[in-house]
């Protein structure tokens, strides 16, 4: 069966490229001594220090339970610390430790350079066009997945 609908072919190619870039990125992050999830936490806390675990889980698109375990493991490595939220006794606020901040300051520029190198296959104009097209597609899609009807 040969696909003829260019929309479907474009979507499949976008998924292939996205998957490949994610695998390359995660491998690079592993070479830096951490997991992709740990890198995401460092990146978020670098710019949103003091957010709640719930807010972090929403930013990372994972469950609060997943964030809880991840933060626990990062606390054991002395990268993150939890503090009680003074406005909500049931919640914790998240902060980088000095060790976590130092790690973020080292790995974030390295990862940014790595990603930029991967994008060098496209000219600056092509990158701008790609970004515009992806933003347009993103805005056209619903935020919540549709429930399939069978």
């Amino acid at each position: 069966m040969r696909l003829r609908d260019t929309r479907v072919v474009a979507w499949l190619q976008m998924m292939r490229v996205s998957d490949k870039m994610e695998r390359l990125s995660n491998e690079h992050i592993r070479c830096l001594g951490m997991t992709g999830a740990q890198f995401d936490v460092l990146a978020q806390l670098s710019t949103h220090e003091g957010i709640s675990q719930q807010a972090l889980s929403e930013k990372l698109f994972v469950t609060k339970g997943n964030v809880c375990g991840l933060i626990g493991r990062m606390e054991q490595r002395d990268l993150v610390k939890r503090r009680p939220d003074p406005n909500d006794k049931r919640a914790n606020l998240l902060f980088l430790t000095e060790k976590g901040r130092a790690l973020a300051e080292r790995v974030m520029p390295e990862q940014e350079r790595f990603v930029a190198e991967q994008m060098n296959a496209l000219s600056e104009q092509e990158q701008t066009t790609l970004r515009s097209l992806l933003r347009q597609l993103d805005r056209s899609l619903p935020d919540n997945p549709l429930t399939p009807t069978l």
Side-chain angles (χ1 to χ4, degrees):
M1 179 177 123
R2 184 167 184 255
L3 293 175
R4 297 174 197 263
D5 190 329
T6 57
R7 296 168 296 184
V8 174
V9 173
W11 179 80
L12 288 170
Q13 186 65 39
M14 184 173 60
M15 293 298 99
R16 244 182 253 119
V17 170
S18 175
D19 182 59
K20 188 174 188 178
M21 289 185 80
E22 183 173 5
R23 283 186 283 117
L24 288 168
S25 176
N26 283 335
E27 182 59 32
H28 183 256
I29 289 168
R30 272 192 294 279
C31 291
L32 297 173
M34 59 183 23
T35 67
Q38 291 168 339
F39 178 85
D40 291 344
V41 169
L42 286 181
Q44 287 297 322
L45 291 184
S46 292
T47 56
H48 300 96
E49 203 163 33
I51 66 172
S52 69
Q53 288 182 203
Q54 178 64 41
L56 180 63
S57 70
E58 291 167 6
K59 286 185 176 296
L60 299 179
F61 302 108
V62 297
T63 66
K64 189 176 172 188
N66 286 348
V67 164
C68 190
L70 177 59
I71 295 301
R73 290 185 296 279
M74 291 182 77
E75 273 185 316
Q76 289 174 347
R77 290 183 61 191
D78 191 33
L79 299 173
V80 174
K81 59 185 166 193
R82 298 180 228 216
R83 292 185 193 148
D85 183 340
N87 300 317
D88 183 352
K89 300 299 179 202
R90 301 165 298 162
N92 288 310
L93 302 180
L94 303 172
F95 298 86
L96 291 175
T97 63
E98 287 302 316
K99 183 178 176 183
R101 193 169 291 106
L103 181 61
E105 288 171 2
R106 179 178 65 83
V107 299
M108 288 178 57
E110 287 184 39
Q111 180 65 3
E112 188 173 323
R113 273 191 298 279
F114 176 80
V115 170
E117 287 173 12
Q118 306 316 302
M119 295 300 291
N120 280 339
L122 302 176
S123 70
E124 192 171 327
Q125 179 59 48
E126 289 169 328
Q127 291 175 41
T128 300
T129 300
L130 177 61
R131 184 173 177 216
S132 176
L133 291 170
L134 290 172
R135 191 175 25 238
Q136 181 181 345
L137 181 59
D138 183 34
R139 282 192 291 249
S140 76
L141 299 172
D143 287 331
N144 299 319
L146 303 175
T147 306
T149 54
L150 301 175

